[in-house]
Amino acid sequence: MEVKISVIIPVYNIEKYIRQCLDSLLCQTFLEFEIICINDGSTDQSMKILQEYSQKDNRISVYHQEHFNAGIARNLGIEKAQGEYLLFLDGDDFFEKDMLDRIYKKGYESQAQIILYGARQYDERTHVYKEMPSYFRKDKVKGKEMFNHYDFCDDFYSITTPAPWTKAFLKKMIIDENIRFQSLENTNDAYFTFIALSIAQKITWIDACFVNYRIGTNNNIQNNKDQYPLCFIQAYRAIYDELHRRHIYHELEKSFVKQALSSTVYCMNTTYTEKAKKKIIYALNECHYLDMHLLDYDKSFYMNQKDYMFVKGYKCIYETYKMLDKNRKIDNNYKLCQRSQICYPKISVIIPVYNVEKYLSVCIESIIHQTLKDIEIIFIIDGSQDNCKEIVENYAKHDTRITVITQRNMGLSASRNHGYREAKGKYVYFMDSDDLLDIYALEELYTFMEVNNLDTVYFDGDSFSEDIELDEYLQNLYHRKAYYPKMCQGIELFMLMRDAKEFRASVCLQMTKKQHLDKYQLKFHEGILHEDNAFSVLNMILSYRAGYVHKPYFKRRYRQDSIMTKKATFQNSYGYYMGYNDLMKYQYLYNQFSTEQQKYIYQMISRVLTNGRDIYAKLDDAQKMSYLALNMEERHNFYILVASYGYVKDELIIRQNKLQQTYDEKYERGVIINELRREITSITQENRQIKKENQLLHKKIDKMNPLKWIHFIKERFKR
């Protein structure tokens, strides 16, 4: 018998379904075919069943290999195949009895290299069939009996799926072009299918569903994605490289980008473990996947904006993963390179340093020339990659008050905490390495605190910039205008500043007694932005004696690319969210305050959370996905407290705009109505004889729309 169709079936542990599969093929109305079954190392009774069927029908050939994957099995089937056309079917599916007959007839008549057809789903659990137009989108090829990629360049790959079981392939083309399946645990068919489709000159189709694709089993290849989550990346990278090698990528670029993004989203959505998802996120951003430039086009280039935003969002999730991984590595490992020789300094000035060599010397000069000399200056070189370390060490050679700490980059909070651990002063002042301090500041503040026995003292600051223009708000941000007592309880000062809207969280605007910080174990939350918020609020409200000096001792520098001037990102929102959590952890201390005082505290806590919500709401859709990198519990809490608020707020804005539009339309109609009624009233007053007629007219007008009214009145005036 001459073999015209070779049916190739990989088999792995499907003893429950293989009989139905083979029976549906053996009862085909077409007879000139062979079935090549490759047992891929099954450990159940699958091999025994295959041998049983091969003995019954000599059209069935059985081969055995160690367990690899379906791709390797199908490639073996290609080598053994004798038919003119190749069909790659799955052993847990079953098929319509006229499938082979109609496929070969179509191929014989058209001499096509690939024949497409449809499939439906069969749910093993419910025994329900479901039509699946997405398996073969025949609506896209209507009117094209024969086509190739030149006919649908921009959207070619969306005509069908990568699955080979909805296609028949001309064996000669597969052999001549040396197209084979990849050896991957999943997605091993994408390369074979899309390369074959891309180079085929004659593709035709049949308007029928021949395959009943079984779902709801535990043997499906899709179920191993969590174990091998990166296969799709290897597949699409191989397709990209092959299209370039064949010099046809530019013709299929738009379609390829759409398909690659769509498959990326699909694989992420069908991967369920946190570990596997994280692997995918890292791989997407650190391997050759980015070299395909999938996100580098103008937004208008993308046919599926949703998939584009999702994959763009994966980059944002990656940045969050890196942030969280970095936070987990933060520790207390640092090197004390030089210790201050001041045994009992009055003040410890703590200055974290990171990549600020342009401004560092000026900052140091403003500290070492303070009129109060009995101080220690602690520099924490936070993995700075410029010449900051050399600058600090040069000053340290000539000033014995300087302590030098070096560490790998751990961030501002960790640096401050490490500096604080080495501090010996009675008072502590946290300084930023690109800002300045008035030379009289430390002496006057120290004296003020000593005289009044304060836990904390607050003061003002000036803002300046050499490279950006400051608006009026930034110029006056650290200038307080209200009156505050020189000494009072911290909670009272907090309430006064909140009422005047002049509470500032910056730690550079406060100096604190070290004993006070030790008492409440106040530290900076490491690894986040806006770390000042919780620290400053707690420091103020817990101070038994707090003071205020109405002088701008601090000089805040605004510069390009600083934390203060960068565009807000997810990390800003996350920083406020963590600040909120930190403030809530101290709830047990708030009971000491009166009801009114607690009201102010919780209003502030709410304000911190609202800041995080407002920033999140303004992020684009891609950045909003960043919170998905958080662990399950934190992700849930962040969604409830922050993310869901952003979505609700967006929806409320949309509804508000619609209501406003409706109101405006009604208002305009009301104006027209009132004008028309005034005209009618005027006519009535001038001509009493038509009063009754006008009364009837009123009733008619109330039922008319404004345009009809205008026409009606004009006609009335003509008379």
Side-chain angles (χ1 to χ4, degrees):
M1 179 189 71
E2 182 183 0
V3 177
K4 295 178 179 177
I5 296 179
S6 294
V7 178
I8 299 169
I9 306 175
V11 176
Y12 178 69
N13 288 355
I14 49 173
E15 60 180 359
K16 185 177 179 181
Y17 312 112
I18 188 62
R19 291 183 184 277
Q20 185 178 11
C21 170
L22 295 176
D23 288 341
S24 68
L25 290 171
L26 294 177
C27 70
Q28 291 286 309
T29 56
F30 185 80
L31 301 177
E32 299 165 278
F33 69 94
E34 65 175 347
I35 303 173
I36 302 172
C37 296
I38 300 90
N39 179 46
D40 186 33
S42 295
T43 57
D44 62 0
Q45 297 298 310
S46 295
M47 183 62 177
K48 184 178 180 181
I49 296 171
L50 293 177
Q51 290 173 339
E52 173 192 327
Y53 271 78
S54 67
Q55 292 172 5
K56 292 181 181 178
D57 196 311
N58 60 11
R59 291 176 297 177
I60 299 177
S61 302
V62 178
Y63 299 91
H64 177 78
Q65 66 178 27
E66 292 184 16
H67 181 51
F68 293 114
N69 52 63
I72 295 294
R74 287 168 178 154
N75 289 338
L76 177 59
I78 294 173
E79 293 178 14
K80 303 297 182 181
Q82 302 176 41
E84 185 180 346
Y85 281 96
L86 305 176
L87 265 68
F88 301 95
L89 304 179
D90 287 350
D92 52 358
D93 298 335
F94 55 100
F95 317 97
E96 299 303 309
K97 63 181 181 180
D98 61 342
M99 176 177 71
L100 300 184
D101 192 13
R102 293 182 64 181
I103 286 174
Y104 186 76
K105 183 178 179 180
K106 188 71 173 181
Y108 179 79
E109 293 173 350
S110 64
Q111 294 298 299
Q113 295 164 305
I114 298 177
I115 304 164
L116 306 180
Y117 46 87
R120 64 178 64 86
Q121 282 184 354
Y122 171 73
D123 194 320
E124 177 68 15
R125 295 159 299 190
T126 63
H127 306 295
V128 172
Y129 292 88
K130 181 181 178 182
E131 298 298 321
M132 297 296 296
S134 60
Y135 289 167
F136 170 47
R137 298 184 182 277
K138 59 188 178 183
D139 56 301
K140 288 183 176 289
V141 294
K142 285 287 187 181
K144 281 282 186 181
E145 187 70 21
M146 191 76 68
F147 64 91
N148 55 44
H149 80 259
Y150 294 104
D151 297 304
F152 308 100
C153 282
D154 286 352
D155 204 17
F156 181 63
Y157 292 135
S158 66
I159 293 173
T160 185
T161 69
W165 33 261
T166 54
K167 304 155 189 73
F169 301 88
L170 186 67
K171 181 185 175 184
K172 185 177 186 306
M173 180 190 73
I174 300 302
I175 298 299
D176 291 349
E177 297 293 343
N178 193 29
I179 307 172
R180 296 295 186 272
F181 290 87
Q182 289 180 290
S183 178
L184 300 173
E185 294 300 325
N186 57 69
T187 326
N188 51 54
D189 47 13
Y191 173 86
F192 179 92
T193 300
F194 286 133
I195 294 302
L197 287 168
S198 301
I199 65 175
Q201 296 300 307
K202 300 175 71 177
I203 304 172
T204 191
W205 55 283
I206 302 172
D207 186 6
C209 290
F210 294 140
V211 177
N212 297 293
Y213 176 63
R214 194 188 304 267
I215 63 172
T217 71
N218 295 321
N219 296 318
N220 198 292
I221 292 175
Q222 298 295 332
N223 293 327
N224 69 2
K225 282 187 174 180
D226 287 301
Q227 189 175 358
Y228 304 99
L230 306 182
C231 293
F232 78 95
I233 295 178
Q234 296 174 256
Y236 281 91
R237 180 69 210 200
I239 297 169
Y240 176 85
D241 291 340
E242 184 65 14
L243 292 176
H244 275 281
R245 191 184 72 80
R246 292 178 181 267
H247 306 292
I248 56 175
Y249 180 76
H250 67 285
E251 298 163 4
L252 290 159
E253 183 175 25
K254 197 166 188 177
S255 184
F256 174 81
V257 170
K258 178 185 177 182
Q259 179 63 33
L261 293 179
S262 176
S263 293
T264 301
V265 173
Y266 173 77
C267 288
M268 273 294 289
N269 291 341
T270 53
T271 301
Y272 300 107
T273 66
E274 295 289 328
K275 183 178 179 181
K277 285 180 180 291
K278 188 172 182 179
K279 271 188 178 181
I280 293 175
I281 293 295
Y282 269 88
L284 291 177
N285 290 277
E286 293 182 351
C287 72
H288 292 303
Y289 197 79
L290 284 181
D291 295 347
M292 296 191 290
H293 310 290
L294 299 179
L295 301 176
D296 295 347
Y297 304 90
D298 291 333
K299 193 173 181 180
S300 58
F301 174 86
Y302 299 95
M303 292 182 284
N304 189 327
Q305 295 284 329
K306 189 174 180 181
D307 286 345
Y308 163 68
M309 291 305 297
F310 266 113
V311 178
K312 192 176 177 184
Y314 299 154
K315 292 189 70 174
C316 298
I317 294 174
Y318 170 69
E319 295 300 324
T320 306
Y321 270 136
K322 287 203 303 181
M323 175 194 76
L324 297 172
D325 287 345
K326 182 180 177 182
N327 291 352
R328 280 189 281 270
K329 294 176 182 177
I330 292 175
D331 50 41
N332 289 322
N333 293 327
Y334 57 84
K335 183 179 180 182
L336 188 60
C337 300
Q338 177 174 318
R339 166 75 78 177
S340 166
Q341 296 181 18
I342 306 296
C343 294
Y344 301 103
K346 293 176 178 176
I347 300 174
S348 296
V349 181
I350 299 171
I351 310 176
V353 178
Y354 178 73
N355 289 356
V356 287
E357 63 177 342
K358 181 178 177 181
Y359 314 104
L360 183 57
S361 294
V362 181
C363 171
I364 296 175
E365 292 286 337
S366 76
I367 301 299
I368 64 176
H369 291 122
Q370 288 288 310
T371 54
L372 180 66
K373 301 302 180 184
D374 191 8
I375 62 174
E376 69 171 346
I377 311 166
I378 303 173
F379 291 99
I380 306 93
I381 313 301
D382 186 34
S384 193
Q385 299 171 346
D386 56 8
N387 295 316
C388 287
K389 184 173 181 290
E390 290 75 12
I391 294 171
V392 170
E393 288 175 340
N394 186 52
Y395 276 98
K397 290 177 183 177
H398 305 95
D399 196 325
T400 59
R401 299 174 299 171
I402 292 178
T403 293
V404 181
I405 294 172
T406 60
Q407 63 184 36
R408 59 182 175 81
N409 181 238
M410 299 188 201
L412 184 60
S413 293
S415 299
R416 286 173 174 167
N417 290 339
H418 294 164
Y420 182 81
R421 287 183 65 185
E422 300 299 330
K424 298 179 294 182
K426 182 177 181 180
Y427 299 100
V428 177
Y429 177 62
F430 296 99
M431 180 74 178
D432 285 348
S433 54
D434 54 352
D435 298 327
L436 308 174
L437 196 66
D438 186 282
I439 61 171
Y440 301 103
L442 296 183
E443 182 176 14
E444 293 183 7
L445 291 170
Y446 173 79
T447 302
F448 186 79
M449 293 190 76
E450 284 289 290
V451 170
N452 294 286
N453 190 25
L454 301 178
D455 293 321
T456 309
V457 64
Y458 297 87
F459 48 92
D460 293 343
D462 290 326
S463 302
F464 72 98
S465 178
E466 297 162 358
D467 52 7
I468 61 175
E469 184 176 348
L470 299 181
D471 57 28
E472 185 178 354
Y473 172 77
L474 290 179
Q475 289 175 2
N476 300 313
L477 181 60
Y478 301 113
H479 288 174
R480 295 184 176 97
K481 298 178 182 179
Y483 167 80
Y484 302 104
K486 288 187 176 181
M487 194 280 293
C488 62
Q489 275 193 304
I491 185 64
E492 294 176 5
L493 185 59
F494 175 74
M495 293 167 68
L496 291 171
M497 288 187 174
R498 284 288 294 164
D499 282 339
K501 298 182 179 180
E502 291 185 334
F503 173 79
R504 300 291 178 260
S506 173
V507 292
C508 299
L509 298 173
Q510 56 194 269
M511 192 163 78
T512 307
K513 185 181 291 185
K514 190 172 187 294
Q515 184 182 11
H516 169 67
L517 296 178
D518 289 340
K519 177 181 178 181
Y520 293 104
Q521 298 182 337
L522 297 184
K523 293 182 180 180
F524 294 94
H525 192 121
E526 298 179 354
I528 65 170
L529 300 179
H530 308 296
E531 70 292 327
D532 291 4
N533 281 280
F535 181 93
S536 295
V537 171
L538 292 168
N539 184 35
M540 180 177 279
I541 66 175
L542 296 175
S543 294
Y544 183 72
R545 296 172 68 88
Y548 171 69
V549 179
H550 187 51
K551 286 187 178 181
Y553 290 125
F554 178 61
K555 315 298 177 184
R556 165 70 76 192
R557 183 195 303 273
Y558 281 88
R559 57 185 174 86
Q560 296 285 357
D561 297 325
S562 70
I563 293 175
M564 297 293 294
T565 57
K566 281 183 178 178
K567 184 179 179 181
T569 66
F570 172 76
Q571 290 195 35
N572 296 90
S573 177
Y574 181 72
Y576 280 114
Y577 163 76
M578 293 306 296
Y580 163 83
N581 286 335
D582 290 342
L583 288 168
M584 291 300 290
K585 289 176 183 177
Y586 281 82
Q587 283 187 87
Y588 68 95
L589 291 175
Y590 305 155
N591 295 328
Q592 63 183 291
F593 301 115
S594 68
T595 302
E596 182 67 13
Q597 290 169 342
Q598 288 186 47
K599 175 183 174 183
Y600 276 80
I601 294 172
Y602 283 107
Q603 283 178 346
M604 183 63 197
I605 295 174
S606 177
R607 179 68 258 173
V608 171
L609 183 61
T610 299
N611 287 342
R613 289 170 168 175
D614 289 344
I615 291 172
Y616 185 86
K618 293 176 183 177
L619 300 178
D620 62 34
D621 290 341
Q623 291 187 72
K624 285 181 177 178
M625 292 175 61
S626 300
Y627 84 95
L628 296 174
L630 306 176
N631 65 52
M632 189 174 295
E633 180 181 356
E634 193 173 20
R635 182 168 67 235
H636 172 76
N637 291 336
F638 185 89
Y639 178 80
I640 295 298
L641 292 172
V642 180
S644 61
Y645 172 85
Y647 295 130
V648 170
K649 189 175 182 181
D650 290 343
E651 181 63 25
L652 288 174
I653 290 172
I654 293 170
R655 290 175 62 187
Q656 183 179 352
N657 291 338
K658 287 183 178 179
L659 288 171
Q660 184 64 43
Q661 183 180 359
T662 303
Y663 172 80
D664 291 342
E665 291 173 354
K666 289 182 177 180
Y667 178 78
E668 290 176 6
R669 288 200 297 268
V671 169
I672 296 173
I673 292 169
N674 290 334
E675 288 178 354
L676 291 172
R677 283 178 170 165
R678 280 195 295 270
E679 288 186 36
I680 294 170
T681 302
S682 176
I683 294 171
T684 304
Q685 291 172 348
E686 293 174 2
N687 191 352
R688 297 288 183 180
Q689 295 179 358
I690 59 171
K691 181 177 180 180
K692 291 182 179 180
E693 186 177 345
N694 281 336
Q695 287 175 343
L696 295 173
L697 182 62
H698 271 291
K699 294 180 181 179
K700 291 182 179 180
I701 288 175
D702 286 338
K703 297 179 181 179
M704 295 180 183
N705 62 48
L707 294 177
K708 288 185 177 180
W709 270 337
I710 295 170
H711 177 73
F712 188 88
I713 294 301
K714 284 181 179 179
E715 292 297 318
R716 190 72 180 167
F717 274 119
K718 287 180 182 179
R719 287 197 294 170

